[in-house]
Amino acid sequence: MQLLGIHHVAIICSNYPRSKHFYSEILKLTIINEHYRAQRQSYKLDLALPDGSQLELFSFNDAPSRPSYPEVQGLRHLAFKVGCINTAKHYLESHNVIVENIREDEITGKKFTFFADPDGLPLELYAL
């Protein structure tokens, strides 16, 4: 077996319209498909990144909140590649997204920073 890359990451949100706006309008991910699943009273939104990977955004009634931030077992954060981290940081801040100060990875020397989605999911920008 050879893994060829990441196909998608799935996220469960607490407020579907708010998260849909954040990921499609602010982060500018392309909407591939949007489905309302009446049996589950749930939305599933497929979003594309330029490299072909995808995010799946789900809404479920009464899904439990993340128990703590960010040092819980499981997914720690989701990192996005960016060309210019300063431009990306300023863009997010212009949309009222709180972004941490830019840091430098002591191993790679690359710049990175963190911000959160509307549900507090930790997201990272990582400079190429």
Side-chain angles (χ1 to χ4, degrees):
M1 178 181 82
Q2 180 183 9
L3 300 178
L4 301 176
I6 294 176
H7 181 268
H8 70 269
V9 173
I11 298 170
I12 299 172
C13 64
S14 66
N15 181 312
Y16 180 74
R18 179 181 69 180
S19 292
K20 178 183 176 183
H21 172 78
F22 179 79
Y23 284 99
S24 67
E25 299 298 323
I26 295 176
L27 296 188
K28 304 221 179 271
L29 302 182
T30 302
I31 295 174
I32 302 168
N33 289 305
E34 181 177 31
H35 301 282
Y36 180 73
R37 301 174 306 172
Q39 295 170 337
R40 295 182 174 190
Q41 298 178 338
S42 170
Y43 281 95
K44 179 182 184 279
L45 181 68
D46 297 319
L47 300 153
L49 284 89
D51 69 356
S53 60
Q54 298 177 20
L55 289 181
E56 292 180 342
L57 186 64
F58 291 92
S59 67
F60 293 113
N61 291 331
D62 302 321
S65 299
R66 184 177 174 91
S68 68
Y69 178 88
E71 304 299 338
V72 297
Q73 292 180 357
L75 181 66
R76 183 173 180 174
H77 61 265
L78 173 60
F80 296 103
K81 297 182 275 189
V82 294
C84 179
I85 198 160
N86 290 316
T87 301
K89 181 180 189 300
H90 291 286
Y91 170 80
L92 289 172
E93 291 172 335
S94 76
H95 286 84
N96 300 314
V97 176
I98 297 169
V99 183
E100 293 181 5
N101 291 330
I102 294 172
R103 297 183 263 169
E104 186 173 302
D105 186 315
E106 60 189 41
I107 296 170
T108 66
K110 301 287 187 173
K111 305 266 189 215
F112 68 97
T113 187
F114 288 93
F115 63 106
D117 84 346
D119 287 309
L121 177 68
L123 303 174
E124 179 182 1
L125 299 176
Y126 198 88
L128 294 176

